[in-house]
Amino acid sequence: DAGITQSPRHKVTETGTPVTLRCHQTENHRYMYWYRQDPGHGLRLIHYSYGVKDTDKGEVSDGYSVSRSKTEDFLLTLESATSSQTSVYFCAIRGTEGDQPQHFGDGTRLSIL
Amino acid sequence: KQEVTQIPAALSVPEGENLVLNCSFTDSAIYNLQWFRQDPGKGLTSLLLIQSSQREQTSGRLNASLDKSSGRSTLYIAASQPGDSATYLCAVRRGGSEKLVFGKGTKLTVNP
């Protein structure tokens, strides 16, 4: 298994509160990604990082911010959570040697009431 | 805009059967295509990655093919087992982009 740990694994919070999800990797991979998975929409890219302090937006980035101060950690922040952000969030990593596949963590189930 | 379609949405087969899962995409300018499986409550497990210049990839009982010109990929599973029961997802990546575009998956059930 790819060395990816997501925390927390489950979280319930209220609308308007800030939420931070953490992705930690032990593979020293350059690329890290945050996705959300929703019924009827499948998996969609929120943000990704191509190095320390280097990030870019994905397909559904509104309402989310990210930070990467160390190679091993990629944080996803919902500054003011809304019910539409209730979802399962997945982190993924990818190496840069050759054409590498993305490897996924086990996900964080986030419920916003 | 790239769209990825997987048909059927669900498939139920008896154990031992060989089966094919389908994935189609609208824009043939892809860099690679990746097949994943997802077990309930779990993340995605990478199965096979096919580069745009390749026609197929094999891993054990799995064989994935790619026909870029027609916008299709298939995942062939030989001698299916109950442990193969999962949702199978395909995703395509365009050259110069880090974005994977996913299909909605095919839920496979292999009955003992």
Side-chain angles (χ1 to χ4, degrees):
Chain A
D1 287 350
I4 307 170
T5 304
Q6 291 188 234
S7 58
R9 293 296 315 281
H10 302 272
K11 187 172 182 67
V12 179
T13 191
E14 294 183 347
T15 300
T17 60
V19 177
T20 296
L21 308 183
R22 180 182 183 236
C23 178
H24 178 79
Q25 61 144 331
T26 58
E27 307 295 320
N28 201 36
H29 283 343
R30 178 181 174 191
Y31 288 91
M32 299 185 75
Y33 310 81
W34 278 108
Y35 292 87
R36 60 178 290 175
Q37 186 175 36
D38 304 288
H41 289 281
L43 276 134
R44 293 177 291 175
L45 181 65
I46 305 171
H47 281 280
Y48 69 95
S49 169
Y50 48 97
V52 173
K53 293 186 168 48
D54 292 323
T55 65
D56 205 350
K57 295 179 180 180
E59 174 181 11
V60 288
S61 59
D62 288 348
Y64 302 94
S65 63
V66 290
S67 66
R68 191 165 177 204
S69 58
K70 299 184 289 185
T71 298
E72 58 265 36
D73 289 327
F74 192 32
L75 304 180
L76 177 70
T77 298
L78 292 64
E79 300 289 348
S80 178
T82 69
S83 58
S84 65
Q85 294 174 310
T86 292
S87 186
V88 181
Y89 291 84
F90 289 100
C91 174
I93 64 175
R94 184 175 75 83
T96 51
E97 297 75 30
D99 191 4
Q100 295 288 318
Q102 290 188 20
H103 295 284
F104 283 72
D106 283 338
T108 293
R109 186 172 295 274
L110 178 63
S111 296
I112 301 165
L113 307 178
Chain B
K1 178 185 174 185
Q2 178 73 272
E3 293 182 1
V4 179
T5 303
Q6 293 185 248
I7 295 174
L11 181 63
S12 182
V13 300
E15 182 176 4
E17 189 163 299
N18 301 325
L19 59 101
V20 174
L21 305 180
N22 297 297
C23 172
S24 62
F25 46 94
T26 54
D27 184 351
S28 62
I30 65 170
Y31 182 66
N32 61 39
L33 183 146
Q34 199 168 347
W35 281 94
F36 298 88
R37 71 173 277 168
Q38 185 175 27
D39 295 287
K42 294 287 191 179
L44 280 67
T45 300
S46 178
L47 297 174
L48 290 164
L49 181 148
I50 310 178
Q51 297 175 8
S52 62
S53 58
Q54 296 177 320
R55 296 284 295 183
E56 64 179 72
Q57 280 283 350
T58 298
S59 176
R61 295 183 294 110
L62 305 179
N63 177 275
S65 69
L66 175 64
D67 184 342
K68 214 170 67 158
S69 62
S70 67
R72 294 185 182 192
S73 177
T74 61
L75 180 66
Y76 173 83
I77 302 177
S80 59
Q81 303 169 358
D84 294 329
S85 297
T87 296
Y88 290 80
L89 297 154
C90 70
V92 298
R93 181 183 164 203
R94 194 181 71 205
S97 171
E98 284 302 316
K99 177 183 170 184
L100 284 182
V101 179
F102 283 84
K104 292 185 170 63
T106 294
K107 184 176 181 180
L108 174 66
T109 302
V110 181
N111 300 300

